[in-house]
Amino acid sequence: MDGTASRPGPSRVVVGVDGSPSARTAVTWAAAEAALRGSTLFLVHGADTDTQTPFLCRAEVVRSRQEGKELLDRTAEAITARHPELTVVTELTDGRAADGLRGAAALTGTIVVGHRGLGGFPSLLLGSVGLQVAAGATTPVVVVRGTAEPVEAGVVLAAVRDETDVGCARAEAREALLRKVPLRLLHIRSAGLSARSRAALPHGDDEIARDHVRVLSSLSERVREEFPGLTVHADGQKGRSVPGALVDASHYADLLVVGGRRSPGYLGPTLGRTTLSLLQHAHCPVELIPRQGPGHGSTS
């Protein structure tokens, strides 16, 4: 592994601003993340006036844009007061919020969104903008759950499934190094394998268990090799529900990083069941690393 590949230059952190409590929490988290990275913070507000123009008079469009600009200015002022060293850029877009966030992130930026927007659905559900951004992600996306001032757990948690998740593990290692905390690689072995599937294997459960141990050992060794100064814990668990086990583990993490997967058989952007469950129910911020995006990296 080329060690230089694990230390990219600082990339921008992009966060959505819509005035909701969830977005304010996301802005607070994104500002702290940008300060840790030494990155520029982009505050983006999607006025969505492009789609509303046929139904609104000119004065209403102008008012909507002005309100968005004032919201961005107030947010930038509050962030600068808290992080005077941080470079803050505001962007008001006439299009949809999800498109504005992706445009501001470009090829390498990290997009940060709150877990709810201004809609009236239950707080556990992921907002429409967050869902659009996460499902179509080509760069890392963080959905901020929890409170603006969470109790620090002192660990970054990486959910890993197989060797192709080495890019996810690398991203988690970088986050752990930034925070100066250990990295925990967690591999959940599903206990729900059918009797027919177990019977098809020559050695049944023993073979399955050995394969899972091999995967976890391989990933942890590669991360330790590339990040020699990082404390890495590798844990394997067996559980009835992989999403449930990871949600439980998120109680004790500052950040949960997962590799993005798209469900087979669907057209267009989709999210797998485990990923969607974590984005909706985790107890800490969740970072989604697209499987084929720049953040995932080579597995060689």
Side-chain angles (χ1 to χ4, degrees), residues 16-127:
V17 179
D18 65 10
S20 67
S22 178
R24 288 194 292 270
T25 300
V27 168
T28 299
W29 190 94
E33 180 73 6
L36 275 176
R37 296 184 182 188
S39 304
T40 298
L41 178 68
F42 282 71
L43 306 177
V44 177
H45 176 75
D48 200 16
T49 52
D50 284 348
T51 58
Q52 298 179 38
T53 298
F55 312 104
L56 300 176
C57 68
R58 176 63 181 169
E60 290 173 320
V61 172
V62 171
R63 183 172 67 250
S64 177
R65 286 181 53 81
Q66 183 61 31
E67 290 174 351
K69 183 180 182 303
E70 291 173 356
L71 173 61
L72 286 170
D73 289 344
R74 290 195 304 271
T75 305
E77 183 178 354
I79 291 301
T80 300
R82 187 164 188 173
H83 299 279
E85 79 290 352
L86 197 59
T87 299
V88 180
V89 176
T90 61
E91 288 196 9
L92 177 65
T93 164
D94 293 331
R96 298 187 308 165
D99 294 335
L101 290 167
R102 284 193 287 261
L107 296 178
T108 60
T110 296
I111 300 175
V112 181
V113 295
H115 73 276
R116 284 298 311 143
L118 291 171
F121 293 97
S123 62
L124 284 180
L125 298 181
L126 183 62

Side-chain angles (χ1 to χ4, degrees), residues 33 59 71 129 167 195 234 237 246 251 260:
E33 180 73 6
L71 173 61
V129 172
Q237 296 181 6
L246 291 173
H251 272 292

Side-chain angles (χ1 to χ4, degrees), residues 29-259:
W29 190 94
E33 180 73 6
L36 275 176
R37 296 184 182 188
S39 304
T40 298
L41 178 68
F42 282 71
L43 306 177
V44 177
H45 176 75
D48 200 16
T49 52
D50 284 348
T51 58
Q52 298 179 38
T53 298
F55 312 104
L56 300 176
C57 68
R58 176 63 181 169
E60 290 173 320
V61 172
V62 171
R63 183 172 67 250
S64 177
R65 286 181 53 81
Q66 183 61 31
E67 290 174 351
K69 183 180 182 303
E70 291 173 356
L71 173 61
L72 286 170
D73 289 344
R74 290 195 304 271
T75 305
E77 183 178 354
I79 291 301
T80 300
R82 187 164 188 173
H83 299 279
E85 79 290 352
L86 197 59
T87 299
V88 180
V89 176
T90 61
E91 288 196 9
L92 177 65
T93 164
D94 293 331
R96 298 187 308 165
D99 294 335
L101 290 167
R102 284 193 287 261
L107 296 178
T108 60
T110 296
I111 300 175
V112 181
V113 295
H115 73 276
R116 284 298 311 143
L118 291 171
F121 293 97
S123 62
L124 284 180
L125 298 181
L126 183 62
S128 60
V129 172
L131 186 60
Q132 292 170 27
V133 171
T138 57
T139 63
V141 173
V142 179
V143 175
V144 178
R145 300 194 57 83
T147 63
E149 301 292 348
V151 177
E152 293 186 359
V155 65
V156 169
L157 177 65
V160 293
R161 178 176 174 179
D162 52 40
E163 286 92 341
T164 60
D165 274 332
V166 66
C168 174
R170 283 174 177 150
E172 293 196 14
R174 296 179 192 122
E175 293 288 355
L177 283 174
L178 282 175
R179 292 163 171 76
K180 299 179 180 179
V181 300
L183 169 65
R184 182 189 179 197
L185 299 177
L186 180 58
H187 178 70
I188 305 297
R189 171 189 165 199
S190 175
L193 195 65
S194 68
R196 177 178 297 180
S197 298
R198 288 196 299 270
L201 296 169
H203 303 288
D205 285 340
D206 289 342
E207 182 177 345
I208 297 171
R210 283 195 298 270
D211 185 60
H212 283 259
V213 169
R214 179 189 57 77
V215 166
L216 188 56
S217 297
S218 174
L219 281 172
S220 60
E221 287 172 6
R222 296 183 72 173
V223 172
R224 290 188 179 103
E225 177 186 347
E226 188 167 346
F227 301 88
L230 178 65
T231 299
V232 180
H233 303 294
D235 296 323
Q237 296 181 6
K238 183 177 180 181
R240 272 297 194 194
S241 166
V242 173
L246 291 173
V247 167
D248 288 343
S250 71
H251 272 292
Y252 313 103
D254 297 328
L255 177 68
L256 168 60
V257 185
V258 296

